[in-house]
Amino acid sequence: MDKDLTPWYSLEWFEPSTLKAYNWETPWILYLLLAVPVVFVIRHVLQYFNDQKVPIAVVRRDLKLSPIILLALIPELLLMITAALIIVCLARPQHSNEKVEQWAEGIDIMIAMDVSESMMMEDFRPNRLESAKEVAKKFIEGRIQDRIGLVVFSGDAFSLAPLTTDYDLLKNYLKDINFEMIDAKGTAIGSAMAVVTNRMRESEAKSKVCILLSDGDSNAGNIDPVTAAELASAYGIKIYSIIVGKEGRVPMGKDFFGRPVYYDNTVDETTMRKMASIGGGEFFRVTDNRALSQVFAKIDQYEKAEIKETRFKNTSDFYTIYLQWAIAFFLLWLLLKSTFISNVLQD
């Protein structure tokens, strides 16, 4: 129903769908509707006992119940409806259209993810890379107006997604990350940090963050990880370094007979820890899916931008509609209360 075009005398104002759609400013007043019939019943009983009665001798066969005597109830009913409508007016039916605008001084975040063969190891479920992708996806879904980019690396590094607020696009890119994206073998952590810095060096964001995930030693690339971290720090990039996986013998795949195959995994924790220190961030070591989720949750809390919001509220009152109905019923009651209809029972 278009309430701006509907006349006050339309019965659509009393449809259940219309009444349910209201926001009531003082809804507790509506409970008084239950008292209206009670008050009128009490009034009627008191009136019955207090009115003067004149004894009349009538033959029983002349006593007949005529439907016309019900007309005497019409003024009483009109007055009850009037009282009920006034209660509805006092409850203030209204519609509120609230618009909320949110904005934040966004943070620029680059996620650098290791896609080397060692990320296929199965100390995480189903493996290190898939676990990292899933946690990164949830991290992205929890951000508001932050620009996020993706860098992947193994023996070399490249930017998979530039800084963007298109989170659906980022999640699609994450889905497509695999071990065959880069031909060069190895783990080029320094090269990954160099690509991150190149992507963020012109950023004017209040905060610039790199989340670096790797599971091994830096054994490829043409730039030292510590030097790359120092360069990133010079551009104001905070580094959170995360080592994913256990050290030592770790299962990766199965042999011809279905037995797990183990490989030795080595980790350069010292370098990763030093990179986080240089970048003013924090170093984490995780060995299972749950720990990795907790680390991302912690970083999510560390790097929360202040979210501001403005609320616009437009409220339209509709009590005047029911007030007009109440006046109409009251005038009708005044018209009928002194006519023969009110005295049908007495006559």
Side-chain angles (χ1 to χ4, degrees), residues 25 40 46 57-58 62 82 173 207 230 272 277 280 285 301:
E25 186 173 313
F40 276 86
L46 293 175
V58 180
D62 292 333
T82 301
Y173 275 127
S207 181
E230 291 171 344
M272 293 286 277
S277 177
R285 178 78 182 269
Q301 291 301 314

Side-chain angles (χ1 to χ4, degrees), residues 237-275:
I237 301 172
K238 184 186 293 185
I239 302 171
Y240 291 100
S241 59
I242 306 171
I243 288 183
V244 181
K246 301 174 184 177
E247 194 169 8
R249 286 171 54 80
V250 181
M252 187 171 70
K254 292 180 172 57
D255 62 14
F256 179 78
F257 300 102
R259 295 172 300 190
V261 177
Y262 290 86
Y263 290 86
D264 287 326
N265 185 60
T266 58
V267 174
D268 185 2
E269 182 174 317
T270 303
T271 298
M272 293 286 277
R273 190 181 292 276
K274 189 170 184 179
M275 291 176 71

Side-chain angles (χ1 to χ4, degrees), residues 96-196:
S96 296
N97 296 321
E98 187 173 52
K99 183 181 178 183
V100 179
E101 291 184 353
Q102 287 189 336
W103 75 95
E105 295 182 6
I107 297 172
D108 282 354
I109 303 171
M110 291 296 294
I111 300 175
M113 190 172 295
D114 190 344
V115 295
S116 60
E117 288 184 351
S118 58
M119 290 290 284
M120 295 174 63
M121 291 186 177
E122 297 170 358
D123 46 351
F124 285 68
R125 293 290 178 267
N127 57 49
R128 294 174 177 178
L129 180 59
E130 290 303 319
S131 177
K133 286 165 57 176
E134 181 61 28
V135 173
K137 174 174 171 286
K138 292 179 181 177
F139 176 81
I140 291 170
E141 290 172 343
R143 307 305 294 184
I144 297 176
Q145 296 184 355
D146 295 324
R147 295 197 307 167
I148 301 176
L150 296 173
V151 169
V152 292
F153 65 96
S154 58
D156 200 356
F158 71 88
S159 176
L160 182 63
L163 291 165
T164 179
T165 55
D166 189 342
Y167 297 159
D168 289 333
L169 177 66
L170 289 170
K171 287 187 284 187
N172 286 331
Y173 275 127
L174 271 174
K175 191 187 303 181
D176 294 336
I177 291 177
N178 59 70
F179 304 106
E180 300 175 354
M181 300 187 76
I182 301 175
D183 293 332
K185 306 302 179 185
T187 305
I189 295 175
S191 297
M193 278 307 309
V195 174
V196 167

Side-chain angles (χ1 to χ4, degrees), residues 191-207:
S191 297
M193 278 307 309
V195 174
V196 167
T197 303
N198 188 49
R199 276 296 186 185
M200 303 186 82
R201 60 192 175 91
E202 295 181 0
S203 169
E204 296 180 358
K206 182 180 179 181
S207 181

Side-chain angles (χ1 to χ4, degrees), residues 1-19:
M1 178 176 70
D2 189 343
K3 293 179 173 52
D4 293 329
L5 302 177
T6 306
W8 71 269
Y9 50 80
S10 171
L11 292 177
E12 291 182 45
W13 295 104
F14 298 94
E15 291 181 355
S17 58
T18 301
L19 296 173

Side-chain angles (χ1 to χ4, degrees), residues 216-233:
D217 297 325
S218 181
N219 53 19
N222 53 11
I223 183 170
D224 177 67
V226 174
T227 303
E230 291 171 344
L231 181 62
S233 179

